[in-house]
Amino acid sequence: MSLRRAIDEAAAALEVGTSDRSLSEFASIELPATFDPRCLLTGSTATAVVGSYERPDQGFALIGIGEAARIDLAIGETPTAARARVRALFEGTPRDSHSVLRPRLLGGFRFAPDQAPRTPWERFGAGSLVLPRMLFVLEGGVSGVVLAPGTSATEALRLIERVIDEPDGALPARDPLRSARSIDENAWRDNVRAMAIGIREGAYEKAVLATSIELERDGDLPLGETLAQLRADYPDCHVVSFSAGDATLICASPELLISLEGGHACTLGLAASQRRGENPAEDRALGRELLADAKSREEHAVVVREIVERLEDETDGLTVDDEPSVRRFRNIQHLATRIAGDAREGVDILELVERLHPTPAVCGRPRDVARRVIAEHEDFDRGWYAGPVGWLDANGDGEFAVALRAALLRGPRAWLFAGNGIMGDSDPQAELEEVTLKMRPLAEALGGRIPAEASAIPA
């Protein structure tokens, strides 16, 4: 079936004809599987995108256009504070609906919800969940759009027609990135040394030290083209965007925080890193080295232990991989352990997000001590970096990733964020090289490379 014929049949089924009347309840329109909603991230519709969530290797994408409703958390509020307002938005929606074309909210939460936002995160509060006016879905070979109450079906159909009528143009040339603020390398090394001493003295087991750089170019940074590059380069990551005012968070996260579907919860312990090899033999050797490295294994074990401890009271039948595996991405490889179980009655995705965030992979252990250490040694606002980002539905199911390999875009400027887990035997120079490596995915997607003056190692 052609896309235009599908539009005509959808209009007839919804009895919209040429009427612009708004719908009084959620409705959905199935489109031909050939329609890829990710085309909405570029062209004339890009500015209307409020958020997106993709699993490229699974053929899964959610693209939210326009804002039908929004839940904003006040400073100090945590994810479960949104629960009553989420239920109100989904009132009348069947809680047992597992249709691909079902309503969902897109959003995320700050790393530290009790801290007021600072530059460049002024537009992002403690957390936000948005109900899109039009949620375009690609999942399991099904493509379609879910319309929120108050939305005109004709509006959605005209938007689709406009997109398919737009000519395919060449991607615009991207100006090179310039460094507006680079890593303070001396301060980074000093902080690593100080944290490693605290760990060796037994003050805490682990803390995560993050840093930020600023890049700029002439003209606004291209959101759609950047997401397309991340999708192509990191298909096995969670590719996410979320907009607030003139700022947009983007990330290509390798780390699943938690998913919940039909009562089954799944998460991934991901910690300890190693570079990729120049050839398959070197790559395998580096992976074996990562698996055998005592510091890396202990860093990873800290993360897994804490995740298990936090989930034990919320789940039954919790299972943990016997040994970590090596999970490889385009520019880096990590140790990974899968953890899964059945959520207890009444436990929803917001409860699990609140229970798990922040994991030791982005904070440390013990959590409260690590938070104080982070506040002492980091001189910038993490904002939503390292916070949960994802989606949820009326069933209380959903999926949230950790906002890693992340950047905040505002006009011609981008703030890039990355961090490392610090242990008692961490080497300051090695940690500097690793954190720079982690910034490359976003820098390359935005403009080709990290400028030499912003990098600790050759680009």
Side-chain angles (χ1 to χ4, degrees):
M1 181 188 296
S2 72
L3 184 55
R4 288 194 180 279
R5 181 180 171 189
I7 292 172
D8 292 340
E9 291 189 0
L14 291 172
E15 298 180 342
V16 296
T18 58
S19 170
D20 289 328
R21 65 183 177 85
S22 297
L23 298 168
S24 59
E25 57 186 21
F26 287 105
S28 63
I29 302 172
E30 185 168 349
L31 300 168
T34 53
F35 179 73
D36 188 341
R38 292 171 293 193
C39 68
L40 300 165
L41 294 167
T42 57
S44 63
T45 57
T47 57
V49 175
V50 293
S52 62
Y53 187 94
E54 300 181 46
R55 299 292 303 275
D57 63 340
Q58 298 180 12
F60 177 79
L62 301 174
I63 313 295
I65 300 288
E67 187 177 298
R70 183 185 184 98
I71 298 169
D72 289 318
L73 299 186
I75 297 302
E77 288 188 316
T78 54
T80 56
R83 186 180 284 141
R85 284 171 280 179
V86 168
R87 289 173 179 164
L89 286 182
F90 286 136
E91 187 176 2
T93 302
R95 287 184 58 82
D96 60 350
S97 171
H98 295 283
S99 166
V100 167
L101 300 181
R102 65 187 187 275
R104 313 183 209 206
L105 304 179
L106 300 171
F109 306 93
R110 273 181 66 84
F111 171 78
D114 56 339
Q115 296 176 2
R118 293 182 284 130
T119 303
W121 296 98
E122 296 94 337
R123 298 281 190 174
F124 289 76
S128 297
L129 297 169
V130 168
L131 176 67
R133 289 175 59 79
M134 295 172 274
L135 178 68
F136 286 83
V137 181
L138 181 64
E139 182 178 3
V142 175
S143 179
V145 59
V146 181
L147 309 177
T151 304
S152 163
T154 305
E155 176 186 356
L157 301 176
R158 287 174 177 166
L159 179 133
I160 297 168
E161 288 182 320
R162 186 168 81 242
V163 169
I164 63 176
D165 284 339
E166 285 185 346
D168 292 330
L171 292 178
R174 291 187 288 178
D175 297 324
L177 291 168
R178 301 184 299 270
S179 175
R181 182 178 58 81
S182 58
I183 298 173
D184 185 334
E185 297 182 8
N186 290 330
W188 172 269
R189 286 188 285 258
D190 288 345
N191 284 326
V192 172
R193 290 189 190 97
M195 292 166 70
I197 289 171
I199 294 167
R200 290 197 299 270
E201 292 177 345
Y204 45 97
E205 285 188 63
K206 172 187 175 180
V208 176
L209 180 66
T211 189
S212 170
I213 64 172
E214 295 176 34
L215 306 176
E216 63 182 3
R217 55 166 275 183
D218 296 327
D220 289 352
L221 291 158
L223 174 62
E225 289 81 358
T226 301
L227 291 173
Q229 191 68 54
L230 292 174
R231 184 185 310 128
D233 288 345
Y234 302 92
D236 45 3
C237 287
H238 308 252
V239 179
V240 182
S241 74
F242 189 83
S243 296
D246 64 347
T248 300
L249 166 73
I250 62 172
C251 69
S253 175
E255 186 168 344
L256 170 68
L257 178 66
I258 190 71
S259 68
L260 181 64
E261 181 177 4
H264 187 69
C266 183
T267 185
L268 187 71
L270 195 74
S273 307
Q274 176 63 282
R275 67 179 178 87
R276 296 296 304 270
E278 296 295 328
N279 54 63
E282 183 187 20
D283 206 38
R284 289 191 296 271
L286 288 170
R288 290 192 297 269
E289 179 182 308
L290 180 62
L291 279 167
D293 180 65
K295 181 257 185 187
S296 297
R297 290 295 291 259
E298 178 56 25
E299 179 185 350
H300 184 74
V302 167
V303 170
V304 173
R305 283 199 303 271
E306 181 120 346
I307 291 174
V308 170
E309 289 171 8
R310 294 187 200 174
L311 286 179
E312 282 179 329
D313 291 340
E314 305 294 337
T315 59
D316 294 313
L318 203 61
T319 61
V320 183
D321 288 347
D322 292 334
E323 288 288 323
S325 60
V326 175
R327 189 172 183 195
R328 292 180 170 90
F329 300 93
R330 183 169 176 264
N331 71 323
I332 201 167
Q333 45 191 325
H334 300 284
L335 293 181
T337 295
R338 185 178 182 274
I339 304 163
D342 295 321
R344 292 180 178 172
E345 187 174 355
V347 173
D348 63 10
I349 189 68
L350 292 175
E351 178 69 33
L352 294 174
V353 166
E354 186 165 312
R355 178 59 67 100
L356 285 177
H357 174 71
T359 70
V362 296
C363 182
R365 179 181 169 105
R367 177 164 46 179
D368 291 343
V369 177
R371 278 176 161 165
R372 292 197 296 271
V373 173
I374 289 169
E376 177 184 349
H377 290 283
E378 292 181 3
D379 61 356
F380 68 99
D381 181 15
R382 287 193 182 191
W384 282 27
Y385 161 70
V389 288
W391 62 269
L392 69 155
D393 64 15
N395 303 314
D397 289 349
E399 181 172 279
F400 281 78
V402 183
L404 301 176
R405 314 298 188 267
L408 186 73
L409 312 185
R410 292 179 69 173
R413 182 163 290 200
W415 288 256
L416 277 61
F417 304 88
N420 288 353
I422 307 303
M423 302 294 289
D425 56 354
S426 289
D427 174 76
Q429 182 61 32
E431 298 292 349
L432 179 61
E433 293 174 2
E434 181 181 325
V435 80
T436 304
L437 180 66
K438 289 176 178 177
M439 288 185 180
R440 286 193 179 165
L442 267 299
E444 290 172 350
L446 286 164
R449 64 183 183 90
I450 297 179
E453 65 272 22
S455 176
I457 52 179

